[in-house]
PDB file of all heavy atoms in Angstrom:
ATOM      1  N   ASN A  15      71.242  92.604  81.986  1.00 94.00           N
ATOM      2  CA  ASN A  15      71.199  91.384  81.178  1.00 94.00           C
ATOM      3  C   ASN A  15      72.530  91.159  80.452  1.00 94.00           C
ATOM      4  O   ASN A  15      72.572  91.083  79.221  1.00 94.00           O
ATOM      5  CB  ASN A  15      70.031  91.443  80.194  1.00 94.00           C
ATOM      6  CG  ASN A  15      69.730  90.094  79.599  1.00 94.00           C
ATOM      7  OD1 ASN A  15      70.085  89.063  80.164  1.00 94.00           O
ATOM      8  ND2 ASN A  15      69.091  90.098  78.446  1.00 94.00           N
ATOM      9  N   PRO A  16      73.625  91.039  81.215  1.00 94.00           N
ATOM     10  CA  PRO A  16      74.945  90.879  80.582  1.00 94.00           C
ATOM     11  C   PRO A  16      75.122  89.484  79.994  1.00 94.00           C
ATOM     12  O   PRO A  16      74.338  88.576  80.300  1.00 94.00           O
ATOM     13  CB  PRO A  16      75.914  91.093  81.747  1.00 94.00           C
ATOM     14  CG  PRO A  16      75.157  90.597  82.932  1.00 94.00           C
ATOM     15  CD  PRO A  16      73.714  90.985  82.668  1.00 94.00           C
ATOM     16  N   PRO A  17      76.143  89.299  79.160  1.00 92.00           N
ATOM     17  CA  PRO A  17      76.425  87.953  78.647  1.00 92.00           C
ATOM     18  C   PRO A  17      76.650  86.985  79.818  1.00 92.00           C
ATOM     19  O   PRO A  17      77.076  87.389  80.899  1.00 92.00           O
ATOM     20  CB  PRO A  17      77.719  88.139  77.843  1.00 92.00           C
ATOM     21  CG  PRO A  17      77.772  89.591  77.513  1.00 92.00           C
ATOM     22  CD  PRO A  17      77.074  90.304  78.640  1.00 92.00           C
ATOM     23  N   PRO A  18      76.376  85.694  79.607  1.00 90.00           N
ATOM     24  CA  PRO A  18      76.471  84.717  80.699  1.00 90.00           C
ATOM     25  C   PRO A  18      77.840  84.621  81.370  1.00 90.00           C
ATOM     26  O   PRO A  18      77.928  84.288  82.546  1.00 90.00           O
ATOM     27  CB  PRO A  18      76.126  83.381  80.036  1.00 90.00           C
ATOM     28  CG  PRO A  18      75.497  83.717  78.743  1.00 90.00           C
ATOM     29  CD  PRO A  18      75.925  85.087  78.366  1.00 90.00           C
ATOM     30  N   ASP A  19      78.910  84.911  80.638  1.00 92.00           N
ATOM     31  CA  ASP A  19      80.237  84.792  81.231  1.00 92.00           C
ATOM     32  C   ASP A  19      80.718  86.086  81.888  1.00 92.00           C
ATOM     33  O   ASP A  19      81.849  86.165  82.343  1.00 92.00           O
ATOM     34  CB  ASP A  19      81.247  84.310  80.195  1.00 92.00           C
ATOM     35  CG  ASP A  19      81.329  85.232  78.987  1.00 92.00           C
ATOM     36  OD1 ASP A  19      80.393  86.043  78.786  1.00 92.00           O
ATOM     37  OD2 ASP A  19      82.325  85.155  78.247  1.00 92.00           O
ATOM     38  N   SER A  20      79.861  87.103  81.968  1.00 94.00           N
ATOM     39  CA  SER A  20      80.229  88.358  82.635  1.00 94.00           C
ATOM     40  C   SER A  20      80.305  88.168  84.143  1.00 94.00           C
ATOM     41  O   SER A  20      79.628  87.305  84.703  1.00 94.00           O
ATOM     42  CB  SER A  20      79.206  89.449  82.326  1.00 94.00           C
ATOM     43  OG  SER A  20      79.234  89.783  80.973  1.00 94.00           O
ATOM     44  N   VAL A  21      81.113  89.007  84.776  1.00 95.00           N
ATOM     45  CA  VAL A  21      81.245  88.989  86.232  1.00 95.00           C
ATOM     46  C   VAL A  21      80.829  90.358  86.748  1.00 95.00           C
ATOM     47  O   VAL A  21      81.269  91.394  86.235  1.00 95.00           O
ATOM     48  CB  VAL A  21      82.703  88.690  86.652  1.00 95.00           C
ATOM     49  CG1 VAL A  21      82.855  88.769  88.156  1.00 95.00           C
ATOM     50  CG2 VAL A  21      83.124  87.326  86.140  1.00 95.00           C
ATOM     51  N   ILE A  22      79.970  90.364  87.764  1.00 95.00           N
ATOM     52  CA  ILE A  22      79.521  91.615  88.385  1.00 95.00           C
ATOM     53  C   ILE A  22      80.060  91.657  89.802  1.00 95.00           C
ATOM     54  O   ILE A  22      79.896  90.702  90.563  1.00 95.00           O
ATOM     55  CB  ILE A  22      77.985  91.711  88.390  1.00 95.00           C
ATOM     56  CG1 ILE A  22      77.459  91.750  86.955  1.00 95.00           C
ATOM     57  CG2 ILE A  22      77.526  92.932  89.178  1.00 95.00           C
ATOM     58  CD1 ILE A  22      75.954  91.760  86.835  1.00 95.00           C
ATOM     59  N   THR A  23      80.727  92.764  90.134  1.00 95.00           N
ATOM     60  CA  THR A  23      81.232  92.933  91.498  1.00 95.00           C
ATOM     61  C   THR A  23      80.597  94.165  92.124  1.00 95.00           C
ATOM     62  O   THR A  23      80.175  95.089  91.429  1.00 95.00           O
ATOM     63  CB  THR A  23      82.767  93.099  91.529  1.00 95.00           C
ATOM     64  OG1 THR A  23      83.134  94.297  90.851  1.00 95.00           O
ATOM     65  CG2 THR A  23      83.465  91.907  90.902  1.00 95.00           C
ATOM     66  N   LEU A  24      80.539  94.171  93.433  1.00 94.00           N
ATOM     67  CA  LEU A  24      80.055  95.306  94.208  1.00 94.00           C
ATOM     68  C   LEU A  24      81.044  95.511  95.334  1.00 94.00           C
ATOM     69  O   LEU A  24      81.300  94.595  96.117  1.00 94.00           O
ATOM     70  CB  LEU A  24      78.657  95.025  94.768  1.00 94.00           C
ATOM     71  CG  LEU A  24      78.105  96.044  95.762  1.00 94.00           C
ATOM     72  CD1 LEU A  24      77.923  97.412  95.111  1.00 94.00           C
ATOM     73  CD2 LEU A  24      76.806  95.545  96.355  1.00 94.00           C
ATOM     74  N   HIS A  25      81.643  96.682  95.386  1.00 90.00           N
ATOM     75  CA  HIS A  25      82.553  96.952  96.495  1.00 90.00           C
ATOM     76  C   HIS A  25      82.400  98.404  96.921  1.00 90.00           C
ATOM     77  O   HIS A  25      81.786  99.211  96.218  1.00 90.00           O
ATOM     78  CB  HIS A  25      84.004  96.623  96.133  1.00 90.00           C
ATOM     79  CG  HIS A  25      84.625  97.564  95.158  1.00 90.00           C
ATOM     80  ND1 HIS A  25      84.451  97.456  93.797  1.00 90.00           N
ATOM     81  CD2 HIS A  25      85.417  98.641  95.342  1.00 90.00           C
ATOM     82  CE1 HIS A  25      85.119  98.424  93.192  1.00 90.00           C
ATOM     83  NE2 HIS A  25      85.704  99.150  94.105  1.00 90.00           N
ATOM     84  N   GLU A  26      82.912  98.712  98.083  1.00 90.00           N
ATOM     85  CA  GLU A  26      82.872 100.095  98.556  1.00 90.00           C
ATOM     86  C   GLU A  26      84.253 100.519  99.012  1.00 90.00           C
ATOM     87  O   GLU A  26      85.064  99.691  99.443  1.00 90.00           O
ATOM     88  CB  GLU A  26      81.828 100.298  99.645  1.00 90.00           C
ATOM     89  CG  GLU A  26      82.026  99.505 100.892  1.00 90.00           C
ATOM     90  CD  GLU A  26      80.870  99.662 101.869  1.00 90.00           C
ATOM     91  OE1 GLU A  26      79.707  99.707 101.451  1.00 90.00           O
ATOM     92  OE2 GLU A  26      81.168  99.739 103.068  1.00 90.00           O
ATOM     93  N   THR A  27      84.499 101.795  98.863  1.00 88.00           N
ATOM     94  CA  THR A  27      85.780 102.361  99.264  1.00 88.00           C
ATOM     95  C   THR A  27      85.530 103.608 100.091  1.00 88.00           C
ATOM     96  O   THR A  27      84.496 104.263  99.950  1.00 88.00           O
ATOM     97  CB  THR A  27      86.637 102.732  98.031  1.00 88.00           C
ATOM     98  OG1 THR A  27      85.907 103.651  97.217  1.00 88.00           O
ATOM     99  CG2 THR A  27      86.995 101.519  97.218  1.00 88.00           C
ATOM    100  N   ALA A  28      86.466 103.930 100.933  1.00 87.00           N
ATOM    101  CA  ALA A  28      86.399 105.141 101.741  1.00 87.00           C
ATOM    102  C   ALA A  28      87.271 106.209 101.097  1.00 87.00           C
ATOM    103  O   ALA A  28      88.234 105.901 100.405  1.00 87.00           O
ATOM    104  CB  ALA A  28      86.884 104.848 103.154  1.00 87.00           C
ATOM    105  N   CYS A  29      86.920 107.449 101.329  1.00 80.00           N
ATOM    106  CA  CYS A  29      87.694 108.560 100.775  1.00 80.00           C
ATOM    107  C   CYS A  29      87.811 109.651 101.834  1.00 80.00           C
ATOM    108  O   CYS A  29      86.832 109.972 102.499  1.00 80.00           O
ATOM    109  CB  CYS A  29      87.004 109.111  99.530  1.00 80.00           C
ATOM    110  SG  CYS A  29      87.915 110.455  98.747  1.00 80.00           S
ATOM    111  N   VAL A  30      88.995 110.195 101.973  1.00 78.00           N
ATOM    112  CA  VAL A  30      89.208 111.265 102.949  1.00 78.00           C
ATOM    113  C   VAL A  30      89.509 112.592 102.261  1.00 78.00           C
ATOM    114  O   VAL A  30      89.745 113.593 102.926  1.00 78.00           O
ATOM    115  CB  VAL A  30      90.361 110.916 103.935  1.00 78.00           C
ATOM    116  CG1 VAL A  30      89.976 109.733 104.800  1.00 78.00           C
ATOM    117  CG2 VAL A  30      91.652 110.651 103.199  1.00 78.00           C
ATOM    118  N   ASP A  31      89.487 112.624 100.933  1.00 80.00           N
ATOM    119  CA  ASP A  31      89.735 113.862 100.202  1.00 80.00           C
ATOM    120  C   ASP A  31      88.573 114.835 100.385  1.00 80.00           C
ATOM    121  O   ASP A  31      87.412 114.420 100.441  1.00 80.00           O
ATOM    122  CB  ASP A  31      89.919 113.586  98.705  1.00 80.00           C
ATOM    123  CG  ASP A  31      91.154 112.760  98.407  1.00 80.00           C
ATOM    124  OD1 ASP A  31      92.091 112.792  99.240  1.00 80.00           O
ATOM    125  OD2 ASP A  31      91.175 112.081  97.368  1.00 80.00           O
ATOM    126  N   PRO A  32      88.851 116.148 100.458  1.00 83.00           N
ATOM    127  CA  PRO A  32      87.778 117.138 100.581  1.00 83.00           C
ATOM    128  C   PRO A  32      86.828 117.049  99.379  1.00 83.00           C
ATOM    129  O   PRO A  32      87.247 116.878  98.248  1.00 83.00           O
ATOM    130  CB  PRO A  32      88.516 118.480 100.577  1.00 83.00           C
ATOM    131  CG  PRO A  32      89.927 118.152 100.906  1.00 83.00           C
ATOM    132  CD  PRO A  32      90.175 116.751 100.437  1.00 83.00           C
ATOM    133  N   GLY A  33      85.539 117.129  99.654  1.00 81.00           N
ATOM    134  CA  GLY A  33      84.541 117.086  98.606  1.00 81.00           C
ATOM    135  C   GLY A  33      84.193 115.691  98.114  1.00 81.00           C
ATOM    136  O   GLY A  33      83.316 115.507  97.291  1.00 81.00           O
ATOM    137  N   CYS A  34      84.875 114.705  98.624  1.00 80.00           N
ATOM    138  CA  CYS A  34      84.658 113.311  98.227  1.00 80.00           C
ATOM    139  C   CYS A  34      83.669 112.691  99.221  1.00 80.00           C
ATOM    140  O   CYS A  34      83.720 113.007 100.409  1.00 80.00           O
ATOM    141  CB  CYS A  34      86.004 112.589  98.287  1.00 80.00           C
ATOM    142  SG  CYS A  34      85.978 110.908  97.693  1.00 80.00           S
ATOM    143  N   PRO A  35      82.761 111.821  98.763  1.00 81.00           N
ATOM    144  CA  PRO A  35      81.887 111.163  99.748  1.00 81.00           C
ATOM    145  C   PRO A  35      82.716 110.299 100.687  1.00 81.00           C
ATOM    146  O   PRO A  35      83.753 109.773 100.288  1.00 81.00           O
ATOM    147  CB  PRO A  35      80.947 110.314  98.894  1.00 81.00           C
ATOM    148  CG  PRO A  35      81.636 110.171  97.586  1.00 81.00           C
ATOM    149  CD  PRO A  35      82.526 111.351  97.412  1.00 81.00           C
ATOM    150  N   LEU A  36      82.263 110.162 101.916  1.00 84.00           N
ATOM    151  CA  LEU A  36      83.005 109.349 102.888  1.00 84.00           C
ATOM    152  C   LEU A  36      83.102 107.907 102.445  1.00 84.00           C
ATOM    153  O   LEU A  36      84.115 107.258 102.640  1.00 84.00           O
ATOM    154  CB  LEU A  36      82.341 109.425 104.262  1.00 84.00           C
ATOM    155  CG  LEU A  36      82.410 110.775 104.956  1.00 84.00           C
ATOM    156  CD1 LEU A  36      81.651 110.726 106.270  1.00 84.00           C
ATOM    157  CD2 LEU A  36      83.845 111.179 105.184  1.00 84.00           C
ATOM    158  N   VAL A  37      82.029 107.399 101.855  1.00 88.00           N
ATOM    159  CA  VAL A  37      82.004 106.023 101.369  1.00 88.00           C
ATOM    160  C   VAL A  37      81.367 106.031  99.989  1.00 88.00           C
ATOM    161  O   VAL A  37      80.355 106.690  99.764  1.00 88.00           O
ATOM    162  CB  VAL A  37      81.194 105.102 102.305  1.00 88.00           C
ATOM    163  CG1 VAL A  37      81.132 103.691 101.759  1.00 88.00           C
ATOM    164  CG2 VAL A  37      81.794 105.087 103.699  1.00 88.00           C
ATOM    165  N   GLU A  38      81.967 105.291  99.090  1.00 91.00           N
ATOM    166  CA  GLU A  38      81.462 105.180  97.728  1.00 91.00           C
ATOM    167  C   GLU A  38      81.327 103.697  97.397  1.00 91.00           C
ATOM    168  O   GLU A  38      82.225 102.914  97.675  1.00 91.00           O
ATOM    169  CB  GLU A  38      82.459 105.845  96.781  1.00 91.00           C
ATOM    170  CG  GLU A  38      82.128 105.698  95.324  1.00 91.00           C
ATOM    171  CD  GLU A  38      83.172 106.348  94.450  1.00 91.00           C
ATOM    172  OE1 GLU A  38      84.227 105.711  94.229  1.00 91.00           O
ATOM    173  OE2 GLU A  38      82.937 107.466  94.004  1.00 91.00           O
ATOM    174  N   SER A  39      80.189 103.323  96.819  1.00 93.00           N
ATOM    175  CA  SER A  39      79.992 101.952  96.363  1.00 93.00           C
ATOM    176  C   SER A  39      80.103 101.933  94.849  1.00 93.00           C
ATOM    177  O   SER A  39      79.708 102.884  94.178  1.00 93.00           O
ATOM    178  CB  SER A  39      78.610 101.432  96.773  1.00 93.00           C
ATOM    179  OG  SER A  39      78.509 101.386  98.168  1.00 93.00           O
ATOM    180  N   VAL A  40      80.648 100.853  94.311  1.00 94.00           N
ATOM    181  CA  VAL A  40      80.860 100.743  92.872  1.00 94.00           C
ATOM    182  C   VAL A  40      80.375  99.382  92.392  1.00 94.00           C
ATOM    183  O   VAL A  40      80.746  98.352  92.955  1.00 94.00           O
ATOM    184  CB  VAL A  40      82.359 100.908  92.510  1.00 94.00           C
ATOM    185  CG1 VAL A  40      82.567 100.803  91.003  1.00 94.00           C
ATOM    186  CG2 VAL A  40      82.911 102.219  93.040  1.00 94.00           C
ATOM    187  N   ILE A  41      79.532  99.413  91.362  1.00 95.00           N
ATOM    188  CA  ILE A  41      79.167  98.184  90.656  1.00 95.00           C
ATOM    189  C   ILE A  41      80.038  98.145  89.415  1.00 95.00           C
ATOM    190  O   ILE A  41      80.065  99.096  88.627  1.00 95.00           O
ATOM    191  CB  ILE A  41      77.680  98.161  90.258  1.00 95.00           C
ATOM    192  CG1 ILE A  41      76.800  98.073  91.500  1.00 95.00           C
ATOM    193  CG2 ILE A  41      77.390  96.987  89.308  1.00 95.00           C
ATOM    194  CD1 ILE A  41      75.311  98.112  91.223  1.00 95.00           C
ATOM    195  N   THR A  42      80.776  97.057  89.245  1.00 95.00           N
ATOM    196  CA  THR A  42      81.657  96.882  88.091  1.00 95.00           C
ATOM    197  C   THR A  42      81.226  95.622  87.350  1.00 95.00           C
ATOM    198  O   THR A  42      80.970  94.591  87.966  1.00 95.00           O
ATOM    199  CB  THR A  42      83.126  96.740  88.535  1.00 95.00           C
ATOM    200  OG1 THR A  42      83.477  97.870  89.334  1.00 95.00           O
ATOM    201  CG2 THR A  42      84.058  96.672  87.326  1.00 95.00           C
ATOM    202  N   VAL A  43      81.147  95.739  86.034  1.00 95.00           N
ATOM    203  CA  VAL A  43      80.790  94.602  85.192  1.00 95.00           C
ATOM    204  C   VAL A  43      81.969  94.311  84.280  1.00 95.00           C
ATOM    205  O   VAL A  43      82.420  95.188  83.537  1.00 95.00           O
ATOM    206  CB  VAL A  43      79.525  94.879  84.351  1.00 95.00           C
ATOM    207  CG1 VAL A  43      79.178  93.677  83.487  1.00 95.00           C
ATOM    208  CG2 VAL A  43      78.352  95.253  85.249  1.00 95.00           C
ATOM    209  N   PHE A  44      82.480  93.092  84.376  1.00 94.00           N
ATOM    210  CA  PHE A  44      83.567  92.630  83.528  1.00 94.00           C
ATOM    211  C   PHE A  44      82.938  91.760  82.434  1.00 94.00           C
ATOM    212  O   PHE A  44      82.552  90.625  82.697  1.00 94.00           O
ATOM    213  CB  PHE A  44      84.576  91.805  84.335  1.00 94.00           C
ATOM    214  CG  PHE A  44      85.224  92.577  85.455  1.00 94.00           C
ATOM    215  CD1 PHE A  44      84.679  92.569  86.724  1.00 94.00           C
ATOM    216  CD2 PHE A  44      86.370  93.303  85.216  1.00 94.00           C
ATOM    217  CE1 PHE A  44      85.266  93.279  87.754  1.00 94.00           C
ATOM    218  CE2 PHE A  44      86.972  94.012  86.246  1.00 94.00           C
ATOM    219  CZ  PHE A  44      86.421  94.007  87.505  1.00 94.00           C
ATOM    220  N   ASP A  45      82.802  92.325  81.229  1.00 90.00           N
ATOM    221  CA  ASP A  45      82.180  91.592  80.130  1.00 90.00           C
ATOM    222  C   ASP A  45      83.176  90.742  79.363  1.00 90.00           C
ATOM    223  O   ASP A  45      82.792  89.854  78.619  1.00 90.00           O
ATOM    224  CB  ASP A  45      81.495  92.557  79.161  1.00 90.00           C
ATOM    225  CG  ASP A  45      80.245  93.167  79.778  1.00 90.00           C
ATOM    226  OD1 ASP A  45      79.493  92.442  80.445  1.00 90.00           O
ATOM    227  OD2 ASP A  45      80.020  94.369  79.575  1.00 90.00           O
ATOM    228  N   GLY A  46      84.442  91.015  79.501  1.00 82.00           N
ATOM    229  CA  GLY A  46      85.473  90.281  78.788  1.00 82.00           C
ATOM    230  C   GLY A  46      86.771  91.061  78.883  1.00 82.00           C
ATOM    231  O   GLY A  46      86.804  92.162  79.442  1.00 82.00           O
ATOM    232  N   PRO A  47      87.831  90.528  78.338  1.00 83.00           N
ATOM    233  CA  PRO A  47      89.119  91.228  78.405  1.00 83.00           C
ATOM    234  C   PRO A  47      89.024  92.638  77.805  1.00 83.00           C
ATOM    235  O   PRO A  47      88.588  92.804  76.663  1.00 83.00           O
ATOM    236  CB  PRO A  47      90.054  90.349  77.578  1.00 83.00           C
ATOM    237  CG  PRO A  47      89.414  89.000  77.580  1.00 83.00           C
ATOM    238  CD  PRO A  47      87.933  89.247  77.638  1.00 83.00           C
TER     239      PRO A  47
END
């Protein structure tokens, strides 16, 4: 239930480092500056 002017993004990244998941998804909420 973020403020109305917030922006929510969903993206995924790949990782090749040992011990890192092959693919990671991230939800990011930009509530303001």
Side-chain angles (χ1 to χ4, degrees):
N15 195 22
D19 58 342
S20 294
V21 176
I22 297 176
T23 64
L24 172 63
H25 71 277
E26 61 186 39
T27 57
C29 182
V30 294
D31 295 336
C34 185
L36 292 177
V37 178
E38 175 181 80
S39 297
V40 180
I41 292 177
T42 305
V43 180
F44 299 92
D45 289 319

